[in-house]
Amino acid sequence: PSAMREVMVQAPNVGWDDVGGLDEARERLREGVELPLRHPDSFRRLGIRPAKGFLLYGPPGTGKTLLAKAVAREAEANFIATKSSDLLSKWYGESEQQIARLFARARQVAPTVIFIDELDSLVPARGGGLGEPAVTERVVNTILAEMDGLEELQSVVVIGATNRPNLIDPALLRPGRFDELVYVSVPDEAGRRRILGIHTEAMPLAADVDLDALARRTERFTGADLEDLVRRAGLTALRRSLDTGMVEMADFEAGLADSRASVTAEMERDY
Ligand code: ATP
């Protein structure tokens, strides 16, 4: 069976307001992606060549996909999300065709942000990769050739993401490729507070709910962990009473008892 997939173009529905914390990553993407996509002529006038490829790296659940979608939306660009395992096919030549279709579609609907998740799965040889060495090597080469071909266009930007930056094939990191590295960290206390605010926005909170205190008590929680905590608190409130109109601090306490940070201090040190 062929693994060829349709290339889905999305108009992303999240923007900077949906991203909590991550101020530095956001700023880098604003300058590096949003500005050049929105104002290509200004860049052209000054003879500045914008970067073509960004690599977002950091622990899982910290908002890499969210950032890529948000920058696409804010740049008024289309968004195409894919992941390495979608591009790898054991059928000879099919991976290359899939990548060619991906970039062709991106150019067709430009300005476009292409998001490639699991970029570390494209490691040839040495194992760790999903595919056979020969396949991953061809896939890497095809992506690089497509990115090299983006030179004059400047209206297609590629954002890759990985949890394991040390596994990335160095060929992908050379100048003109994924040469802008952006660390997407677990949020600090202020970031956690903002994320809790975002994910409780549509939730009626009782007066005793203290989001500042929750932000203090959720060290190393990622955005995804915090979103999950809010969901658990909501479910606990429902379990208390289907008629309840409010989520209370006790519901968050119960949620907290069932949750913990998915990122350990040790994992964090490794980045
Ligand atoms: P992975 O490495 O596993 O692909 P990721 O870093 O791409 O993870 P996302 O998929 O962007 O993480 O995050 C998962 C969900 O967690 C998001 O859809 C969002 O709801 C929530 N989330 C994560 N980070 C943030 C953040 N900084 N602000 C608000 N919500 C966040």
Side-chain angles (χ1 to χ4, degrees):
S2 164
M4 291 287 264
R5 287 176 176 79
E6 196 163 344
V7 179
M8 298 276 284
V9 179
Q10 305 174 39
N13 56 355
V14 294
W16 292 136
D17 285 349
D18 300 289
V19 181
L22 305 177
D23 297 349
E24 199 185 319
R26 200 157 33 162
E27 206 42 50
R28 294 269 311 275
L29 290 175
R30 201 199 287 272
E31 268 186 15
V33 180
E34 184 185 334
L35 272 186
L37 286 182
R38 286 178 77 121
H39 308 285
D41 293 339
S42 307
F43 278 72
R44 226 167 272 141
R45 256 198 312 277
L46 294 185
I48 308 173
R49 196 184 305 138
K52 284 183 276 187
F54 287 74
L55 180 62
L56 308 183
Y57 69 99
T62 46
K64 294 179 286 297
T65 310
L66 185 68
L67 276 168
K69 272 189 193 160
V71 75
R73 155 88 171 253
E74 300 287 348
E76 293 172 44
N78 281 303
F79 185 71
I80 299 180
T82 184
K83 51 185 190 293
S84 296
S85 50
D86 287 342
L87 299 175
L88 292 168
S89 165
K90 61 181 174 173
W91 303 105
Y92 190 86
E94 214 171 73
S95 300
E96 290 92 325
Q97 269 181 62
Q98 183 70 25
I99 294 162
R101 282 173 19 149
L102 171 69
F103 279 82
R105 190 85 180 102
R107 284 192 296 267
Q108 207 174 53
V109 299
T112 307
V113 170
I114 298 178
F115 180 69
I116 308 179
D117 208 355
E118 306 171 353
L119 208 64
D120 50 87
S121 305
L122 295 183
V123 255
R126 291 192 305 277
L130 280 176
E132 292 173 32
V135 179
T136 53
E137 199 167 320
R138 289 204 313 266
V139 168
V140 167
N141 288 336
T142 310
I143 291 176
L144 294 181
E146 290 284 356
M147 287 179 74
D148 291 343
L150 288 177
E151 199 84 67
E152 286 91 78
L153 264 144
Q154 297 182 344
S155 51
V156 176
V157 175
V158 188
I159 300 180
T162 179
N163 304 320
R164 301 177 298 172
N166 49 333
L167 291 186
I168 298 274
D169 184 341
L172 286 164
L173 302 178
R174 291 199 199 112
R177 297 171 172 179
F178 292 94
D179 55 353
E180 290 279 340
L181 301 187
V182 180
Y183 180 46
V184 184
S185 61
V186 298
D188 60 9
E189 188 182 321
R192 295 196 296 273
R193 176 63 185 79
R194 297 242 298 276
I195 295 169
L196 286 166
I198 289 167
H199 289 289
T200 53
E201 199 162 24
M203 185 177 258
L205 297 178
D208 71 337
V209 173
D210 184 349
L211 295 182
D212 293 330
L214 288 169
R216 269 196 304 279
R217 291 168 55 192
T218 43
E219 202 181 341
R220 281 199 317 277
F221 274 52
T222 63
D225 293 339
L226 293 167
E227 184 181 21
D228 188 57
L229 169 63
V230 169
R231 196 183 55 88
R232 281 171 195 268
L235 287 173
T236 308
L238 280 180
R239 228 173 276 134
R240 193 159 39 75
S241 158
L242 276 177
D243 300 324
T244 189
M246 292 275 180
V247 182
E248 298 172 3
M249 191 63 175
D251 301 320
F252 280 93
E253 295 287 354
L256 212 47
D258 287 340
S259 317
R260 64 195 155 85
S262 58
V263 178
T264 63
E266 196 183 5
M267 278 165 75
E268 224 191 330
R269 263 198 307 276
D270 284 345
Y271 286 97

